[in-house]
Amino acid sequence: MTFTEPALSIEAPGGSHKSVGGRVVAFTAIAAVLAGVIPVTLVAQVEDIGQSEAWMFTLAILIWGGLRLAWLIVAGVPRLFDFFFWMFSYIFMGIAPTVQIRSGLTSTTTPGVDEGLYVPTAILICVGLAAYEVARAAWIAWERSRARAEAGSVGEAFPTTEVDRTKTLLLVAFGLAASAYFLSAIGPVALLGSREAFFDARSAAWADPAVRSIMYALAIYPLLVGAGALAQLRRRAGRPSVARWYGAGLIGCVAVLLLIVNPVGSARYTLGTVVFALVVYAGAVTTPRRVRFTLASTLGAFLFLFPLADAFRNEEVRLTRNGFFGEYMSNPDYDAFWQVANAFSYWIDGLVQPLHQLSGSVFFWVPRALWPDKPTDTGILLANYRGYSMDNLSAPLWAELIVNGGVLALALGFVAVGIALRVMDTRLLASFSAGGFWAIVGAIFPVYMTILMRGSLLQATGAVAVALACVLLVRKRRPQPVVTSVQLE
């Protein structure tokens, strides 16, 4: 492995006294809001009814997550996997459960959770986050020791794997055909109507959930990956006329994408994935200043725009607001904590079959007609276990790991996640400016992390497989070596 003087510089914690001082001030200001003002205001405004002390653990998650997010924003380094991991934890395992436990107004779709499970569940969530942080820190130490042993440099030479022109055009053509078929099967009225109408139309067209998931993914991800590849080809085009043709194709892909993944009919997570990827294609994370703005805007959108978007997803528009923290009270969107509690209860009752649920995710593509005993979504599994009338529930990563192997699987799983996300972030750092195949990976998969972390995994794996296949398709076989800079902060 060769370390050389970096040709691409991504601003990091070092630098002049002025820049360091500015970052310290910025970190203090952002951390004061995320890890200070919001937690203090929550405790002051949301009365504790004395249901459980578990909120103290989730409040600690909120504070630590705020500090981590503040550092990621201020550093100006696009470690997007780490950012989306902590953004999910901050909101779904920090703010939401703290509000719901203190107020007693838990998610309406997960009623009747035993209060004796509150504290153990909060501890399990903390265990997962601690395992993630310890594994990540250990891997960072290994990266640094390797860098010192090899050359003492902070830069590592990675090959830039470019996109293939012919394969890109074939993928775009396939994506347009798949999208046209999807639109003909669903109809524009269902797409531009409510989310319920859109889901009903998809269910009518494809009754099998696995087939339905794959068809929806085929309507989105070939064009999304194709748009990223066209943006790469346009940037490398030697003649203005060729660049214009690539630009026209890119605009066409975006137009069709936003018709299918629109703010009214589509799920907010899917819309967020598409929009964020398009923004990254446009260069939103190529400089430290852009990284800071993009990450701060993304966090603000999840905190303020994500709840508002829910008002327009149903037949009746709901614009009644109950304050910032009131959004989390009884809100079924924030059932993650309670589903971890249900998964823990499932394990306590001795119902866990090691890796059984994971087998359904790995072989998601097998129709139930051929595999009648195929595992259902973990959210559905837990809903049936608890006897809930509503089974369209989440199954966050903690719950998925527990139902596949208990508490030990949870700890080991988060160790693996901590290492894997660090490795991916390091590999992707320079790609956003250098371009190529990995820049497309970095635009799509980090933001898709929110869907994977919320679960259920079975629902999410179909889209991941389709997106990954599309990305691998446009990859050029022979990478061109270039010198890039990777910060080992």
Side-chain angles (χ1 to χ4, degrees), residues 34-35 59-70 86-87 89-90:
L34 297 179
L59 187 70
I61 294 172
L62 174 59
I63 294 171
W64 179 249
L67 293 173
R68 290 285 273 108
L69 288 170
W86 278 107
M87 187 176 71
S89 301
Y90 181 78

Side-chain angles (χ1 to χ4, degrees), residues 103-121:
S103 66
L105 300 174
T106 61
S107 171
T108 56
T109 54
T110 53
V113 175
D114 186 346
E115 293 181 13
L117 295 174
Y118 286 18
V119 170
T121 298

